[in-house]
């Protein structure tokens, strides 16, 4: 059964860059859209963006200037970078597998808690 | 952005009873709506997509209905593992994909 395993730094200072990676195990990679979603008490679930096997991305408009996603189809991994973080970026970040259109998510990673604090 | 509003915020239900959760969109999303369940300390799990199609492995006690701006998730007979938070999500118009604020189903 496919699994997503994610990792990255959990404590950042304001203005630093958040960097997370998610690996796909025991499942196909090229048939899906790969997504990052975050969750916080104040903002709820927030879709950050998606990337496909060719590296084509779509980002949420509110974060577009700070977000970069990348993909490595050989390693079956995809990554998120969010620059110039601040306290509003604190939350739990999930990687997720989207269906072929990237519209809904049938497999999620366990999440990484990211805290931004000076 | 399409705003998704869920009600009630908290629903108190006894085991074995029916639970009815509502989700309203700020504009029509056709049937481009998904439902998720999130248990404490876990990631969300996809329950329903296309407003009414159960995801793989989801029990038949979960059903979704609605179209346009008004949607319902019904859990026909609540089991202990169903006490959780439920979220709706639209995918008709994006970016961004947007989620509702959630309904917590708690034991009465």
């Amino acid at each position: 059964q496919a699994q997503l395993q994610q990792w990255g730094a959990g404590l950042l200072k304001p203005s630093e860059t958040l960097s997370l990676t998610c690996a796909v195990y025991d499942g196909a990679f090229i048939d899906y859209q790969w997504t990052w979603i975050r969750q916080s008490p104040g903002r709820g679930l927030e879709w950050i963006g998606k990337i496909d096997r060719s590296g084509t991305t779509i980002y949420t408009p509110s974060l577009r200037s700070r977000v970069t996603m990348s993909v490595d189809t050989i390693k079956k991994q995809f990554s998120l970078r969010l620059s110039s973080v601040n306290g509003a970026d604190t939350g739990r970040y999930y990687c997720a597998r989207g269906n072929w259109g990237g519209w809904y998510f049938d497999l999620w990673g366990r999440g990484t808690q990211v805290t931004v604090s000076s | 952005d399409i705003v998704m509003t869920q009600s009630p915020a908290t629903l108190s239900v006894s085991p074995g009873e029916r639970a009815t959760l509502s989700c309203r969109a700020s504009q029509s999303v056709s049937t481009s709506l998904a439902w998720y369940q999130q248990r404490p300390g876990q990631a969300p799990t996809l329950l329903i997509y296309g407003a009414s199609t159960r995801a793989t492995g989801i029990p038949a006690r979960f059903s979704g209905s609605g179209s346009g701006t008004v949607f319902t998730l019904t859990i026909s007979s609540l089991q202990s593992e169903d006490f959780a938070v439920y979220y709706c999500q639209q995918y008709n118009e994006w970016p961004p994909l947007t989620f509702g604020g959630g309904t917590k189903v708690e034991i009465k």
Side-chain angles (χ1 to χ4, degrees):
Chain A
Q1 192 161 350
Q3 295 181 55
L4 300 182
Q5 193 165 78
Q6 58 182 102
W7 63 90
L11 181 60
L12 297 171
K13 291 182 168 55
S15 81
E16 291 185 334
T17 296
L18 178 157
S19 181
L20 299 174
T21 298
C22 186
V24 181
Y25 293 102
D26 300 323
F29 189 80
I30 63 173
D31 300 322
Y32 298 96
Q33 305 278 333
W34 303 100
T35 300
W36 292 95
I37 293 165
R38 68 183 183 181
Q39 184 174 31
S40 62
R43 304 169 77 97
L45 286 164
E46 184 179 13
W47 178 80
I48 300 171
K50 73 172 185 79
I51 187 167
D52 68 14
R53 60 178 176 174
S54 67
T56 300
T57 55
I58 298 180
Y59 302 140
T60 191
S62 63
L63 297 175
R64 188 174 291 143
S65 63
R66 298 195 289 131
V67 171
T68 303
M69 294 183 185
S70 58
V71 65
D72 184 332
T73 56
I74 303 298
K75 292 183 177 179
K76 293 171 64 175
Q77 295 177 0
F78 58 106
S79 298
L80 168 71
R81 289 175 61 86
L82 180 66
S83 64
S84 303
V85 297
N86 57 65
D89 296 312
T90 293
R92 192 162 189 87
Y93 286 69
Y94 293 98
C95 59
R97 184 177 75 182
N99 73 315
W100 65 270
W103 307 322
Y104 49 84
F105 317 107
D106 66 349
L107 183 67
W108 296 61
R110 298 180 72 171
T112 300
Q113 177 63 36
V114 173
T115 301
V116 180
S117 175
S118 56
Chain B
D1 299 359
I2 296 179
V3 177
M4 307 301 293
T5 303
Q6 292 187 241
S7 61
T10 304
L11 186 63
S12 298
V13 186
S14 299
E17 288 188 343
R18 173 188 296 258
T20 302
L21 289 67
S22 296
C23 174
R24 185 177 297 267
S26 61
Q27 63 190 74
S28 177
V29 298
S30 185
T31 56
S32 300
L33 186 104
W35 288 95
Y36 300 85
Q37 176 194 69
Q38 186 174 31
R39 296 183 179 129
Q42 297 185 19
T45 300
L46 179 67
L47 297 175
I48 301 282
Y49 61 92
S52 61
T53 302
R54 277 189 302 278
T56 302
I58 301 303
R61 65 180 181 272
F62 291 93
S63 63
S65 63
S67 65
T69 63
V70 179
F71 301 88
T72 300
L73 175 70
T74 301
I75 311 171
S76 60
S77 177
L78 273 159
Q79 307 298 302
S80 57
E81 62 267 30
D82 300 336
F83 292 97
V85 181
Y86 293 82
Y87 296 95
C88 59
Q89 176 233 320
Q90 70 81 23
Y91 51 94
N92 188 66
E93 186 177 290
W94 60 297
L97 296 166
T98 50
F99 293 85
T103 291
K104 180 181 180 181
V105 178
E106 64 175 24
I107 300 175
K108 187 174 182 180

